[in-house]
Coordinates of all heavy atoms in Angstrom, one line a residue:
M1 N 0.8 -1.2 0.0 CA 0.0 0.0 0.0 C 0.9 1.2 0.0 O 1.9 1.3 0.6 CB -0.9 0.0 1.2 CG -2.0 1.0 1.1 SD -3.1 0.9 2.6 CE -2.2 1.8 3.8
T2 N 0.5 2.2 -0.7 CA 1.2 3.5 -0.8 C 1.0 4.3 0.4 O -0.2 4.6 0.7 CB 0.9 4.3 -2.1 OG1 1.1 3.5 -3.2 CG2 1.8 5.5 -2.2
L3 N 2.1 4.7 1.1 CA 1.9 5.5 2.3 C 1.7 7.0 1.9 O 2.2 7.4 0.8 CB 3.0 5.4 3.3 CG 3.2 4.1 3.9 CD1 4.6 4.1 4.6 CD2 2.1 3.9 4.9
P4 N 0.9 7.8 2.6 CA 0.7 9.2 2.3 C 2.1 10.0 2.3 O 3.0 9.7 3.2 CB -0.3 9.7 3.2 CG -0.3 8.8 4.4 CD 0.2 7.5 3.7
M5 N 2.2 11.0 1.5 CA 3.4 11.8 1.4 C 3.5 12.7 2.7 O 2.5 13.4 3.1 CB 3.4 12.7 0.2 CG 4.6 13.5 0.0 SD 4.6 14.7 -1.3 CE 4.3 13.6 -2.8
S6 N 4.6 12.7 3.4 CA 4.8 13.6 4.5 C 4.7 15.0 4.0 O 5.1 15.3 2.9 CB 6.2 13.4 5.2 OG 6.2 12.1 5.7
K7 N 4.2 15.9 4.8 CA 3.9 17.3 4.5 C 4.9 18.3 5.3 O 5.4 18.0 6.3 CB 2.5 17.7 4.8 CG 1.5 17.0 4.0 CD 1.5 17.4 2.6 CE 0.4 16.9 1.7 NZ 0.4 17.4 0.3
I8 N 5.1 19.4 4.7 CA 5.8 20.5 5.4 C 4.8 21.4 6.1 O 4.1 22.2 5.5 CB 6.7 21.3 4.3 CG1 7.5 20.4 3.5 CG2 7.5 22.4 5.0 CD1 7.7 20.9 2.1
S9 N 4.8 21.2 7.4 CA 3.7 22.0 8.2 C 4.2 23.4 8.3 O 3.3 24.2 8.4 CB 3.6 21.3 9.5 OG 4.8 21.3 10.2
E10 N 5.4 23.7 8.3 CA 5.9 25.1 8.4 C 7.3 25.2 7.8 O 8.1 24.3 8.0 CB 6.0 25.5 9.9 CG 6.1 27.0 10.1 CD 5.9 27.4 11.5 OE1 5.5 26.6 12.3 OE2 6.0 28.6 11.8
C11 N 7.5 26.3 7.1 CA 8.9 26.6 6.7 C 9.2 28.1 7.0 O 8.4 29.0 6.6 CB 9.0 26.4 5.2 SG 10.6 26.8 4.5
D12 N 10.3 28.3 7.6 CA 10.7 29.7 8.1 C 11.6 30.4 7.1 O 11.9 31.5 7.3 CB 11.5 29.6 9.5 CG 10.7 28.9 10.5 OD1 9.5 28.9 10.5 OD2 11.4 28.2 11.3
V13 N 11.8 29.8 6.0 CA 12.7 30.4 5.0 C 12.0 31.3 4.0 O 11.6 30.9 2.9 CB 13.5 29.3 4.2 CG1 14.6 29.9 3.3 CG2 14.1 28.3 5.2
L14 N 11.6 32.4 4.5 CA 10.7 33.4 3.8 C 11.3 33.9 2.4 O 10.5 34.3 1.6 CB 10.4 34.6 4.7 CG 9.6 34.3 6.0 CD1 9.5 35.5 6.8 CD2 8.3 33.6 5.7
S15 N 12.5 33.8 2.3 CA 13.2 34.3 1.0 C 13.0 33.3 -0.1 O 13.2 33.7 -1.3 CB 14.7 34.6 1.2 OG 15.3 33.3 1.6
C16 N 12.5 32.1 0.2 CA 12.4 31.2 -0.9 C 11.1 31.5 -1.8 O 10.1 31.9 -1.2 CB 12.2 29.7 -0.3 SG 12.0 28.5 -1.5
S17 N 11.3 31.2 -3.1 CA 10.2 31.6 -4.0 C 8.9 30.8 -3.7 O 7.8 31.3 -4.0 CB 10.6 31.3 -5.5 OG 11.7 32.1 -5.8
Y18 N 9.1 29.6 -3.1 CA 7.9 28.8 -2.8 C 7.3 29.1 -1.4 O 6.2 28.4 -1.1 CB 8.3 27.3 -2.9 CG 8.7 26.9 -4.3 CD1 10.1 26.5 -4.5 CD2 7.8 26.8 -5.3 CE1 10.5 26.1 -5.8 CE2 8.2 26.4 -6.5 CZ 9.6 26.1 -6.8 OH 9.9 25.7 -8.0
N19 N 7.8 30.0 -0.7 CA 7.3 30.4 0.6 C 6.4 31.5 0.7 O 6.8 32.6 0.3 CB 8.5 30.5 1.5 CG 8.1 30.5 3.0 OD1 7.1 31.3 3.4 ND2 8.8 29.8 3.8
I20 N 5.2 31.3 1.2 CA 4.2 32.3 1.4 C 3.7 32.2 2.8 O 3.1 31.1 3.0 CB 3.1 32.4 0.3 CG1 3.8 32.7 -1.1 CG2 2.1 33.5 0.6 CD1 2.8 32.5 -2.2
D21 N 3.8 33.1 3.6 CA 3.3 33.1 5.0 C 3.7 31.8 5.7 O 2.9 31.1 6.4 CB 1.8 33.2 5.0 CG 1.3 34.5 4.5 OD1 2.1 35.5 4.6 OD2 0.2 34.6 3.9
N22 N 5.0 31.5 5.6 CA 5.5 30.4 6.3 C 5.0 29.0 5.8 O 5.1 28.0 6.6 CB 5.4 30.4 7.9 CG 6.3 31.6 8.4 OD1 5.7 32.7 8.5 ND2 7.5 31.4 8.7
K23 N 4.4 29.0 4.7 CA 4.0 27.7 4.1 C 4.7 27.4 2.8 O 4.9 28.4 2.0 CB 2.4 27.7 3.9 CG 1.7 27.8 5.1 CD 1.7 26.7 6.0 CE 0.9 26.9 7.3 NZ 1.2 26.0 8.4
C24 N 5.1 26.2 2.5 CA 5.6 25.9 1.2 C 4.6 25.4 0.2 O 3.7 24.7 0.5 CB 6.6 24.6 1.5 SG 7.3 24.1 0.0
H25 N 4.7 26.0 -1.0 CA 3.6 25.8 -1.9 C 4.1 25.1 -3.2 O 3.4 25.3 -4.3 CB 2.9 27.1 -2.3 CG 2.3 27.8 -1.1 ND1 1.0 27.2 -0.7 CD2 2.5 28.7 -0.2 CE1 0.5 27.9 0.3 NE2 1.5 28.8 0.7
T26 N 5.1 24.3 -3.1 CA 5.5 23.5 -4.3 C 4.8 22.1 -4.0 O 4.7 21.8 -2.8 CB 7.0 23.4 -4.6 OG1 7.2 22.7 -5.8 CG2 7.8 22.7 -3.5
I27 N 4.7 21.3 -5.0 CA 4.0 20.0 -4.7 C 4.9 19.1 -3.8 O 4.4 18.5 -2.8 CB 3.7 19.3 -6.0 CG1 2.5 20.1 -6.7 CG2 3.2 17.8 -5.7 CD1 2.2 19.7 -8.1
A28 N 6.2 19.1 -4.1 CA 7.0 18.1 -3.4 C 8.5 18.7 -3.5 O 8.9 19.1 -4.5 CB 7.0 16.8 -4.0
I29 N 9.2 18.6 -2.3 CA 10.6 19.0 -2.2 C 11.4 17.7 -2.2 O 11.0 16.7 -1.9 CB 10.8 19.9 -1.0 CG1 10.7 19.2 0.3 CG2 10.0 21.2 -1.1 CD1 11.2 19.9 1.5
T30 N 12.7 18.0 -2.5 CA 13.8 16.9 -2.2 C 14.6 17.4 -1.1 O 15.0 18.5 -1.2 CB 14.5 16.6 -3.5 OG1 13.7 16.2 -4.6 CG2 15.7 15.5 -3.3
V31 N 14.8 16.5 -0.2 CA 15.6 16.8 1.0 C 17.0 16.1 1.0 O 17.0 14.9 0.7 CB 14.9 16.5 2.3 CG1 15.8 16.7 3.5 CG2 13.7 17.4 2.4
G32 N 18.0 16.9 1.2 CA 19.3 16.3 1.7 C 20.2 15.6 0.8 O 19.9 15.3 -0.5
D33 N 21.3 15.3 1.4 CA 22.3 14.3 0.9 C 22.7 13.5 2.1 O 22.2 13.9 3.3 CB 23.4 15.1 0.2 CG 24.2 16.0 1.0 OD1 24.4 15.8 2.2 OD2 24.8 17.0 0.5
P34 N 23.6 12.6 2.1 CA 23.8 11.9 3.3 C 24.4 12.6 4.4 O 24.3 12.2 5.6 CB 24.9 10.9 2.8 CG 24.6 10.7 1.3 CD 24.2 12.1 0.9
S35 N 25.1 13.8 4.1 CA 25.7 14.5 5.3 C 24.8 15.8 5.8 O 25.2 16.3 6.8 CB 27.0 15.1 4.8 OG 26.9 15.9 3.7
C36 N 23.7 16.1 5.1 CA 23.0 17.4 5.5 C 21.6 17.3 5.1 O 21.3 17.1 3.9 CB 23.7 18.6 5.0 SG 22.8 20.2 5.4
P37 N 20.6 17.5 6.0 CA 19.2 17.4 5.6 C 18.7 18.7 5.0 O 17.6 19.2 5.4 CB 18.5 17.1 6.9 CG 19.3 17.8 7.9 CD 20.7 17.7 7.4
M38 N 19.4 19.3 4.0 CA 19.0 20.5 3.5 C 17.8 20.4 2.5 O 17.6 19.3 1.9 CB 20.2 21.1 2.6 CG 20.5 20.4 1.4 SD 22.0 21.0 0.6 CE 22.9 19.5 0.5
C39 N 17.0 21.5 2.3 CA 16.0 21.5 1.3 C 16.6 21.8 -0.1 O 17.1 22.9 -0.3 CB 14.9 22.5 1.6 SG 13.6 22.7 0.3
D40 N 16.7 20.9 -0.9 CA 17.3 21.0 -2.2 C 16.5 21.8 -3.2 O 16.9 22.2 -4.3 CB 17.5 19.6 -2.8 CG 19.0 19.3 -3.1 OD1 19.9 20.1 -2.6 OD2 19.3 18.3 -3.7
T41 N 15.2 22.1 -2.8 CA 14.3 22.7 -3.7 C 14.2 24.2 -3.5 O 13.7 25.0 -4.2 CB 12.8 22.2 -3.6 OG1 13.0 20.8 -3.7 CG2 11.9 22.7 -4.6
F42 N 14.9 24.6 -2.4 CA 15.0 26.2 -2.1 C 15.5 26.9 -3.4 O 16.4 26.4 -4.1 CB 16.1 26.3 -1.0 CG 16.5 27.8 -0.8 CD1 15.6 28.7 -0.1 CD2 17.7 28.3 -1.4 CE1 16.0 30.0 0.0 CE2 18.0 29.6 -1.3 CZ 17.1 30.4 -0.6
F43 N 14.8 28.0 -3.7 CA 15.1 28.8 -4.8 C 14.7 30.2 -4.6 O 13.5 30.5 -4.0 CB 14.4 28.2 -6.1 CG 14.6 28.8 -7.3 CD1 15.9 28.8 -7.9 CD2 13.7 29.6 -8.1 CE1 16.2 29.5 -9.1 CE2 14.0 30.2 -9.2 CZ 15.3 30.1 -9.7
E44 N 15.6 31.2 -5.0 CA 15.3 32.6 -4.8 C 15.1 33.1 -6.2 O 15.9 32.9 -7.1 CB 16.5 33.3 -4.2 CG 16.4 33.2 -2.6 CD 17.5 34.0 -1.9 OE1 18.6 33.9 -2.4 OE2 17.2 34.6 -0.9
S45 N 14.0 33.9 -6.5 CA 13.8 34.6 -7.7 C 13.1 35.9 -7.5 O 12.7 36.2 -6.4 CB 13.0 33.7 -8.7 OG 11.8 33.4 -8.2
E46 N 12.8 36.7 -8.5 CA 12.2 37.9 -8.4 C 10.8 37.8 -7.8 O 10.4 38.6 -6.9 CB 12.0 38.6 -9.8 CG 13.4 39.0 -10.4 CD 13.7 40.4 -10.1 OE1 12.9 41.3 -10.1 OE2 14.9 40.6 -9.8
G47 N 10.0 36.9 -8.3 CA 8.7 36.7 -7.9 C 8.4 35.4 -7.1 O 9.3 34.7 -6.8
K48 N 7.2 35.2 -6.7 CA 6.8 34.0 -6.0 C 6.3 32.9 -7.0 O 5.7 33.3 -8.0 CB 5.8 34.2 -4.9 CG 6.2 35.1 -3.7 CD 7.2 34.2 -2.8 CE 7.7 35.1 -1.6 NZ 8.7 34.3 -0.7
G49 N 6.6 31.6 -6.6 CA 6.0 30.6 -7.5 C 5.2 29.6 -6.7 O 4.8 29.9 -5.5
G50 N 5.0 28.4 -7.3 CA 4.3 27.5 -6.6 C 2.7 27.6 -6.8 O 2.2 28.5 -7.5
D51 N 2.0 26.8 -6.1 CA 0.5 26.8 -6.2 C 0.0 27.1 -4.9 O 0.1 26.3 -3.9 CB 0.1 25.3 -6.7 CG -1.4 25.3 -6.9 OD1 -2.1 26.1 -6.3 OD2 -1.8 24.3 -7.7
M52 N -0.8 28.2 -4.7 CA -1.3 28.5 -3.4 C -2.3 27.5 -2.8 O -2.5 27.5 -1.6 CB -2.1 29.9 -3.5 CG -1.2 31.1 -3.5 SD -0.2 31.2 -1.9 CE -1.5 31.7 -0.8
D53 N -2.9 26.7 -3.6 CA -3.8 25.6 -3.2 C -3.1 24.4 -2.7 O -3.7 23.5 -2.2 CB -4.8 25.2 -4.2 CG -5.6 26.4 -4.7 OD1 -5.9 27.3 -3.8 OD2 -6.1 26.4 -5.9
V54 N -1.7 24.4 -2.8 CA -1.0 23.2 -2.4 C -0.2 23.4 -1.1 O 0.4 24.5 -0.9 CB 0.0 22.8 -3.5 CG1 1.2 22.0 -3.0 CG2 -0.8 22.2 -4.8
L55 N -0.2 22.5 -0.2 CA 0.8 22.5 0.9 C 1.8 21.4 0.6 O 1.6 20.4 0.3 CB 0.0 22.1 2.2 CG 0.9 22.0 3.5 CD1 1.5 23.4 3.8 CD2 0.2 21.5 4.6
G56 N 3.2 21.9 0.5 CA 4.2 21.1 0.0 C 4.4 19.9 0.8 O 4.2 19.7 2.1
G57 N 4.9 18.9 0.1 CA 5.3 17.6 0.7 C 6.7 17.2 0.5 O 7.4 18.0 -0.2
I58 N 7.2 16.1 1.0 CA 8.5 15.6 0.8 C 8.5 14.4 -0.3 O 8.0 13.4 0.0 CB 9.1 15.2 2.2 CG1 9.2 16.3 3.1 CG2 10.6 14.7 1.8 CD1 8.1 16.3 4.1
G59 N 8.9 14.8 -1.4 CA 9.0 13.8 -2.5 C 10.0 12.7 -2.3 O 9.8 11.5 -2.7
A60 N 11.2 13.2 -1.8 CA 12.3 12.2 -1.6 C 13.2 12.8 -0.6 O 13.3 14.0 -0.4 CB 13.0 12.0 -2.9
C61 N 13.8 11.9 0.2 CA 14.8 12.4 1.2 C 16.1 11.4 1.1 O 15.9 10.3 1.3 CB 14.2 12.4 2.6 SG 15.6 12.9 3.8
R62 N 17.2 12.1 0.9 CA 18.5 11.3 0.7 C 19.3 11.2 2.1 O 20.4 10.7 2.0 CB 19.3 11.9 -0.4 CG 18.6 11.9 -1.7 CD 19.3 12.5 -2.9 NE 19.5 13.9 -2.7 CZ 19.3 14.7 -3.8 NH1 18.9 14.4 -4.9 NH2 19.5 16.1 -3.5
T63 N 18.7 11.8 3.1 CA 19.4 11.7 4.4 C 19.0 10.4 5.1 O 18.1 10.4 6.0 CB 19.1 13.0 5.3 OG1 19.3 14.2 4.5 CG2 19.9 13.1 6.5
S64 N 19.6 9.4 4.8 CA 19.3 8.0 5.2 C 19.6 7.8 6.6 O 19.0 6.9 7.2 CB 19.9 7.0 4.3 OG 21.3 7.1 4.3
D65 N 20.4 8.6 7.4 CA 20.6 8.3 8.8 C 19.6 9.0 9.7 O 19.6 8.8 10.9 CB 22.1 8.7 9.2 CG 22.3 10.2 9.4 OD1 21.5 11.0 8.7 OD2 23.1 10.7 10.1
C66 N 18.6 9.6 9.1 CA 17.4 10.2 9.9 C 16.6 9.0 10.3 O 16.3 8.1 9.5 CB 16.7 11.2 9.2 SG 15.3 11.8 10.0
R67 N 16.0 9.0 11.6 CA 15.3 8.0 12.1 C 13.9 7.9 11.4 O 13.2 6.9 11.4 CB 15.0 8.0 13.6 CG 14.3 9.2 14.1 CD 14.2 9.2 15.7 NE 13.5 8.1 16.1 CZ 12.2 8.2 16.5 NH1 11.6 9.4 16.5 NH2 11.6 7.2 17.1
F68 N 13.6 9.0 10.7 CA 12.2 9.0 10.0 C 12.4 8.5 8.6 O 11.4 8.5 7.8 CB 11.6 10.4 10.0 CG 11.3 10.8 11.4 CD1 12.0 11.9 12.0 CD2 10.3 10.2 12.1 CE1 11.6 12.4 13.3 CE2 10.0 10.6 13.4 CZ 10.7 11.7 14.0
N69 N 13.6 8.2 8.1 CA 13.9 7.9 6.7 C 13.7 6.4 6.6 O 14.4 5.5 7.2 CB 15.3 8.4 6.4 CG 15.5 8.3 4.8 OD1 15.4 7.3 4.2 ND2 15.8 9.4 4.3
K70 N 12.9 6.0 5.7 CA 12.7 4.6 5.3 C 12.9 4.4 3.8 O 12.1 5.0 3.1 CB 11.3 4.0 5.7 CG 10.9 4.2 7.2 CD 11.2 2.9 8.0 CE 10.8 3.0 9.4 NZ 11.1 4.1 10.2
S71 N 14.0 3.7 3.4 CA 14.2 3.5 2.0 C 14.2 4.7 1.1 O 13.7 4.9 0.0 CB 13.1 2.6 1.4 OG 13.0 1.3 2.0
L72 N 14.9 5.8 1.8 CA 15.1 7.1 1.2 C 13.8 8.0 0.9 O 13.7 8.7 0.0 CB 15.9 7.0 -0.2 CG 17.2 6.3 -0.1 CD1 17.9 6.1 -1.4 CD2 18.2 7.2 0.8
E73 N 12.8 7.5 1.7 CA 11.5 8.3 1.7 C 11.3 8.8 3.2 O 11.7 8.1 4.1 CB 10.3 7.4 1.3 CG 10.5 6.9 -0.1 CD 10.3 7.9 -1.1 OE1 9.7 9.0 -0.9 OE2 10.6 7.6 -2.3
C74 N 10.6 10.0 3.3 CA 10.3 10.5 4.6 C 9.1 9.9 5.2 O 8.1 10.0 4.5 CB 10.2 12.0 4.6 SG 9.8 12.7 6.2
R75 N 9.1 9.4 6.4 CA 7.9 8.8 7.1 C 7.6 9.5 8.4 O 7.0 8.9 9.3 CB 8.1 7.3 7.3 CG 8.3 6.4 6.1 CD 7.1 6.5 5.2 NE 7.2 5.7 4.1 CZ 6.8 6.1 2.8 NH1 6.3 7.3 2.6 NH2 6.9 5.3 1.8
A76 N 8.0 10.8 8.4 CA 7.7 11.6 9.6 C 6.2 12.0 9.8 O 5.8 12.3 10.9 CB 8.6 12.8 9.7
G77 N 5.6 12.1 8.7 CA 4.2 12.6 8.7 C 4.1 14.1 8.4 O 3.5 14.5 7.4
D78 N 4.8 14.9 9.3 CA 5.1 16.3 8.8 C 6.3 16.7 9.3 O 6.9 16.2 10.3 CB 3.8 17.1 9.3 CG 3.7 17.2 10.8 OD1 4.5 18.0 11.4 OD2 2.9 16.4 11.3
I79 N 6.9 17.8 8.7 CA 8.2 18.3 9.0 C 8.2 19.8 9.1 O 7.3 20.4 8.6 CB 9.3 17.9 8.0 CG1 9.2 18.6 6.7 CG2 9.4 16.3 7.8 CD1 10.5 18.5 5.8
H80 N 9.3 20.3 9.7 CA 9.5 21.8 9.9 C 10.7 22.1 9.1 O 11.8 21.3 9.4 CB 9.5 22.1 11.4 CG 9.8 23.5 11.6 ND1 10.2 23.9 12.9 CD2 9.8 24.6 10.8 CE1 10.4 25.3 12.9 NE2 10.2 25.7 11.7
V81 N 10.8 23.1 8.3 CA 12.0 23.5 7.6 C 12.4 24.9 8.1 O 11.5 25.8 8.3 CB 11.8 23.5 6.1 CG1 13.0 24.1 5.4 CG2 11.5 22.1 5.6
G82 N 13.7 25.1 8.4 CA 14.1 26.4 8.8 C 15.6 26.7 8.4 O 16.2 25.9 7.8
V83 N 16.1 27.8 8.8 CA 17.4 28.2 8.4 C 18.4 27.6 9.4 O 18.2 27.6 10.6 CB 17.6 29.8 8.4 CG1 19.0 30.1 8.0 CG2 16.6 30.4 7.5
H84 N 19.5 27.1 8.8 CA 20.6 26.5 9.6 C 21.9 26.7 8.8 O 22.0 26.3 7.6 CB 20.4 25.0 9.9 CG 21.5 24.4 10.6 ND1 22.4 23.6 10.1 CD2 22.0 24.5 11.9 CE1 23.3 23.2 11.0 NE2 23.1 23.8 12.1
S85 N 22.8 27.4 9.5 CA 24.1 27.7 8.8 C 23.9 28.4 7.4 O 24.6 28.1 6.5 CB 24.9 26.5 8.6 OG 25.3 25.9 9.9
G86 N 22.9 29.3 7.4 CA 22.7 30.1 6.1 C 21.9 29.4 5.0 O 21.8 29.9 3.9
H87 N 21.4 28.2 5.2 CA 20.7 27.5 4.2 C 19.4 26.8 4.9 O 19.3 26.7 6.1 CB 21.6 26.5 3.5 CG 22.1 25.4 4.3 ND1 23.3 25.4 4.9 CD2 21.5 24.2 4.7 CE1 23.5 24.3 5.6 NE2 22.4 23.5 5.5
A88 N 18.6 26.3 4.0 CA 17.2 25.8 4.4 C 17.5 24.2 4.8 O 18.0 23.5 4.0 CB 16.3 25.8 3.3
D89 N 17.1 24.0 6.1 CA 17.4 22.5 6.5 C 16.0 22.0 7.1 O 15.3 22.8 7.6 CB 18.4 22.5 7.7 CG 19.7 22.2 7.2 OD1 20.0 21.9 6.1 OD2 20.6 22.1 8.1
C90 N 15.9 20.7 7.0 CA 14.8 20.0 7.7 C 15.2 20.0 9.2 O 16.2 19.4 9.7 CB 14.6 18.6 7.2 SG 13.5 17.6 8.2
K91 N 14.3 20.7 9.9 CA 14.5 20.8 11.4 C 14.0 19.6 12.2 O 14.2 19.4 13.4 CB 13.8 22.0 12.0 CG 14.4 23.3 11.4 CD 15.7 23.6 12.1 CE 16.1 25.1 11.9 NZ 17.3 25.3 12.5
T92 N 13.3 18.7 11.5 CA 12.7 17.5 12.0 C 13.7 16.3 12.0 O 13.6 15.3 12.7 CB 11.5 17.1 11.3 OG1 10.6 18.2 11.3 CG2 10.7 15.9 12.0
Y93 N 14.8 16.6 11.3 CA 15.9 15.6 11.1 C 16.4 15.1 12.6 O 16.6 15.9 13.5 CB 17.1 16.2 10.5 CG 18.4 15.4 10.7 CD1 18.6 14.2 9.9 CD2 19.4 15.8 11.5 CE1 19.7 13.4 10.1 CE2 20.5 15.1 11.6 CZ 20.7 13.8 11.0 OH 21.8 13.1 11.1
T94 N 16.3 13.8 12.8 CA 16.8 13.2 14.1 C 17.7 12.1 13.7 O 17.3 11.1 13.1 CB 15.6 12.7 14.9 OG1 14.6 13.7 15.0 CG2 15.9 12.3 16.3
P95 N 18.9 12.1 14.2 CA 19.9 11.0 13.9 C 19.3 9.7 14.5 O 18.7 9.7 15.5 CB 21.2 11.4 14.5 CG 21.0 12.8 14.8 CD 19.6 13.2 14.9
R96 N 19.6 8.6 13.9 CA 19.1 7.2 14.4 C 19.9 7.0 15.7 O 21.1 7.3 15.9 CB 19.4 6.2 13.5 CG 18.6 6.2 12.3 CD 18.9 5.0 11.4 NE 18.4 5.2 10.0 CZ 17.2 4.9 9.6 NH1 16.3 4.4 10.5 NH2 16.8 5.2 8.4
Ligands
SF4_101 S1 10.4 23.8 2.2 FE1 12.1 24.4 0.7 S2 11.2 24.8 -1.2 FE2 9.6 24.9 0.4 S3 9.5 27.0 1.1 FE3 10.9 26.1 2.4 S4 12.9 26.4 1.5 FE4 11.4 26.7 -0.1
SF4_102 S1 12.4 14.2 8.9 FE1 14.2 13.0 8.3 S2 13.5 11.6 6.7 FE2 11.9 13.3 6.9 S3 12.7 14.9 5.4 FE3 13.6 15.4 7.5 S4 15.7 14.5 7.3 FE4 14.4 13.5 5.7

């Protein structure tokens, strides 16, 4: 059975084109590499993008040492994204 996609309940990275009022409005982001749970979909541009009717989800996560990661997919249910060391990171990341 296909499990539901985890959602981004809040994102504090207001400079991102997909962020409006602390919500992510792209359909799905990609998170991380093995060493850092960054939001790989972060993008800055002149205007805003995404779909206002959509609350973003996690399409894939490559941070396999997170306890919520199963087979390179996020099973947290919902996550929080925020700024860490000058870039957008998954704040729900929890090492195993
Ligand atoms: S989760 Fe990523 S793509 Fe979505 S608004 Fe935040 S930084 Fe941008
Ligand atoms: S909670 Fe863990 S598995 Fe889910 S997106 Fe964040 S780092 Fe990846």
Side-chain angles (χ1 to χ4, degrees):
M1 194 176 82
T2 306
L3 290 170
M5 188 187 294
S6 294
K7 293 289 186 179
I8 304 151
S9 56
E10 194 169 357
C11 176
D12 304 329
V13 188
L14 298 174
S15 62
C16 178
S17 300
Y18 295 111
N19 193 311
I20 298 169
D21 295 333
N22 293 91
K23 300 290 181 198
C24 178
H25 293 285
T26 188
I27 292 169
I29 66 169
T30 298
V31 173
D33 61 31
S35 63
C36 177
M38 72 190 125
C39 174
D40 241 7
T41 310
F42 168 80
F43 184 63
E44 282 182 315
S45 64
E46 293 270 315
K48 291 288 183 183
D51 182 339
M52 277 302 287
D53 295 330
V54 161
L55 180 64
I58 300 97
C61 178
R62 300 181 289 230
T63 307
S64 56
D65 75 332
C66 175
R67 67 184 293 260
F68 298 112
N69 193 301
K70 302 265 186 313
S71 303
L72 301 175
E73 301 287 343
C74 178
R75 296 299 181 223
D78 62 83
I79 72 162
H80 176 195
V81 176
V83 178
H84 177 250
S85 296
H87 62 265
D89 262 1
C90 174
K91 296 286 198 178
T92 307
Y93 166 73
T94 309
R96 289 184 198 277

